[in-house]
């Protein structure tokens, strides 16, 4: 390995770690948190989703940006396009969230828990399917970073 490739391993391995954390959180939401909240009644479901989403958004948004910046740093230092590809895929969660998921979030946020019903439940079920897209982006970014780290 060239010297620049070796020095890129620190930001690269950090990028891989952050992408894996992002993906782990996304998987947790899809396979643990979402199914657990769906057993609640409509009012409890909406009341639980609102603060849980706010906390999850803050964490995952931060991880996506940090993982992106670390991936770009690794690409800059090593010149390996896989680091840049992983960074772009990881940060793609931002436009995906803003363009695809945010309209659903706004409808849910505008619904008071006392007005929860079949419509809000259907929106939360739909939100869960949309969130699976974030999980897939996380897996892809993690895989790209893993390949870049092992090549």
């Amino acid at each position: 390995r060239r010297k620049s490739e070796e020095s890129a391993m620190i930001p690269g391995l950090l990028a891989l770690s952050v992408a894996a954390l992002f993906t782990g959180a996304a998987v947790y939401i899809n396979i643990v948190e979402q199914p657990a909240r769906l057993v609640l009644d409509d009012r409890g479901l909406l009341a639980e989703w609102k603060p849980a989403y706010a906390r999850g958004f803050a964490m995952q948004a931060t991880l996506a940006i940090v993982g992106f910046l670390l991936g770009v740093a690794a690409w800059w230092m090593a010149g390996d396009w896989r680091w840049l590809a992983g960074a772009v895929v990881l940060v793609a969660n931002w436009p995906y969230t803003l363009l695809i998921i945010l309209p659903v979030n706004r409808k849910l946020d505008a619904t008071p828990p006392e007005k929860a019903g079949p419509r809000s439940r259907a929106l939360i079920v739909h939100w869960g399917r949309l969130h699976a897209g974030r999980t897939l982006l996380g897996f892809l970014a993690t895989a790209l970073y893993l390949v870049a780290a092992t090549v």
Side-chain angles (χ1 to χ4, degrees):
R1 289 188 180 217
R2 295 186 333 234
K3 178 87 169 139
S4 62
E5 289 174 340
E6 289 174 9
S7 60
M9 288 310 293
I10 292 172
L13 292 176
L14 289 172
L16 173 59
S17 298
V18 169
L21 285 170
F22 177 96
T23 305
V27 167
Y28 172 82
I29 291 164
N30 281 116
I31 68 169
V32 177
E33 190 174 286
Q34 179 75 349
R37 84 172 118 236
L38 289 174
V39 301
L40 299 172
D41 63 40
D42 294 339
R43 184 176 181 166
L45 171 62
L46 184 60
E48 194 284 330
W49 179 88
K50 287 183 178 197
Y53 179 77
R55 288 188 305 269
F57 174 80
M59 178 194 53
Q60 285 198 292
T62 302
L63 289 172
I65 293 296
V66 170
F68 166 76
L69 293 172
L70 288 164
V72 168
W75 164 73
W76 183 260
M77 296 169 89
D80 185 340
W81 65 270
R82 291 171 200 88
W83 291 118
L84 184 60
V88 168
V89 170
L90 189 58
V91 84
N93 276 286
W94 271 85
Y96 178 78
T97 299
L98 295 174
L99 297 172
I100 307 298
I101 300 178
L102 188 59
V104 174
N105 294 351
R106 287 190 174 142
K107 291 175 188 172
L108 288 165
D109 281 334
T111 306
E114 59 274 5
K115 299 278 187 182
R119 182 175 178 271
S120 59
R121 177 172 291 277
L123 282 171
I124 291 174
V125 169
H126 181 60
W127 175 90
R129 285 190 218 105
L130 294 176
H131 189 273
R134 292 171 53 87
T135 304
L136 291 174
L137 288 170
F139 270 121
L140 182 55
T142 301
L144 286 163
Y145 283 161
L146 184 59
V147 170
T150 58
V151 170

